Amino acid sequence: MDKKITIAIDGFSSTGKSTLAKQLARHLGYAYVDTGAMYRAVTYYAMDKGYITDEHFDKQALINDLPHISLQFLFSPEKGFAEMYINEHNVEKMIRTLAVSNKVSRVAELSEVRAMLVKQQQQMGAGKGVVMDGRDIGTVVFPDAELKLFMTASPETRAKRRYLELQEKGDKASYEEVLKNVQERDYIDCNRQDSPLVKAADAIEIDNSKLSIEEQFEKVMQLVQNAV
Ligand code: DC
């Protein structure tokens, strides 16, 4: 497989996009870009500065700071994947908490934030040989991607996965809280004005409610082969 392509993976939260994207990138020797981590990082920044709390969201303060936010993925040899840095601080752990998940969709609604991150994502994938996951990769970031996947699974299946993941990390969120977060994010992600989550006309839908990780990988590798 010599020709390098762009693989765009979109879909609802906790549908296993990043698991699949990492598997593909490792197997194909491609770069993997987790665009959700970038939206999470900007959200963490806004929370840390007090721009967004449960009570208020000072959107303009965040927009004014955007030119001073530098995001970077740096590969960690111990972890085996790239971790997220903001202005040279490792924020990988902080951006995965339920507290950030609860605010990220509101930050991701801002067109100024989207414009900045989409531009960086397009630069990262310019040379092809990239697997990128998010919500708007096949529709906005790389509308010409050779392979577009759209991942779905029932909200309950997704909440159960996310709940187990958070438990493993020692986050004490309840299953009900996680399910509520999944449903709220689905709603905001699908209904925002700028780049809502929609399946691109030429994307292949994968419902993995009943697929094992291995079954899914085999199915997708077949699609990669066809696309190449
Ligand atoms: O993939 P994730 O759950 O880590 O993404 C976190 C949030 O970021 C998600 O609820 C919506 C937003 N997001 C987005 O709007 N566009 C992307 N390309 C990726 C994520």
Side-chain angles (χ1 to χ4, degrees):
M1 256 191 259
D2 291 324
K3 190 180 148 229
K4 293 211 176 220
I5 62 168
T6 301
I7 304 177
I9 306 182
D10 290 304
F12 295 97
S13 59
S14 305
T15 41
K17 296 186 297 294
S18 68
T19 305
L20 174 65
K22 279 182 202 157
Q23 271 180 319
L24 289 173
R26 202 177 311 125
H27 191 84
L28 298 165
Y30 281 19
Y32 163 54
V33 181
D34 170 4
T35 64
M38 300 168 77
Y39 289 93
R40 286 172 178 274
V42 175
T43 305
Y44 174 75
Y45 176 94
M47 289 167 74
D48 191 49
K49 290 273 182 187
Y51 297 158
I52 186 166
T53 67
D54 287 341
E55 285 77 39
H56 78 282
F57 182 12
D58 187 346
K59 296 175 184 165
Q60 197 54 52
L62 175 60
I63 292 166
N64 293 344
D65 275 10
L66 288 177
H68 311 295
I69 303 178
S70 150
L71 301 180
Q72 240 185 328
F73 285 107
L74 287 180
F75 186 77
S76 155
E78 300 108 77
K79 303 254 171 70
F81 62 87
E83 297 185 299
M84 187 83 245
Y85 286 71
I86 310 178
N87 298 340
E88 281 151 43
H89 294 289
N90 185 331
V91 292
E92 182 61 33
K93 205 161 164 218
M94 289 85 113
I95 64 169
R96 307 289 170 188
T97 59
L98 188 61
V100 169
S101 299
N102 280 335
K103 306 244 172 348
V104 63
S105 286
R106 299 201 46 216
V107 170
E109 278 184 300
L110 296 180
S111 295
E112 291 83 354
V113 171
R114 303 205 70 83
M116 174 175 109
L117 298 188
V118 166
K119 198 166 153 214
Q120 293 178 7
Q121 290 152 13
Q122 287 171 335
Q123 284 163 356
M124 288 187 239
K128 294 203 180 271
V130 68
V131 188
M132 200 170 279
D133 78 358
R135 303 292 188 286
D136 58 345
I137 311 305
T139 49
V140 176
V141 183
F142 290 114
D144 297 330
E146 289 83 354
L147 179 61
K148 299 182 188 178
L149 304 174
F150 189 85
M151 318 268 292
T152 65
S154 72
E156 290 75 17
T157 307
R158 295 187 279 130
K160 209 166 124 194
R161 287 179 190 155
R162 186 49 66 103
Y163 170 70
L164 293 175
E165 234 173 67
L166 285 169
Q167 267 205 327
E168 259 176 40
K169 290 182 190 159
D171 196 320
K172 296 208 174 8
S174 69
Y175 169 76
E176 287 70 27
E177 279 177 289
V178 178
L179 178 62
K180 187 165 167 265
N181 173 257
V182 163
Q183 289 168 330
E184 280 176 2
R185 277 206 288 155
D186 284 358
Y187 183 82
I188 303 179
D189 293 347
C190 293
N191 289 285
R192 67 174 173 235
Q193 282 207 322
D194 189 346
S195 324
L197 170 62
V198 280
K199 178 178 166 292
D202 51 350
I204 298 162
E205 183 165 331
I206 298 188
D207 182 337
N208 63 20
S209 305
K210 295 194 174 69
L211 282 181
S212 73
I213 290 178
E214 293 73 29
E215 286 166 339
Q216 171 174 273
F217 180 64
E218 273 172 36
K219 188 176 162 151
V220 173
M221 273 311 293
Q222 197 59 55
L223 298 173
V224 173
Q225 254 132 29
N226 297 345
V228 169

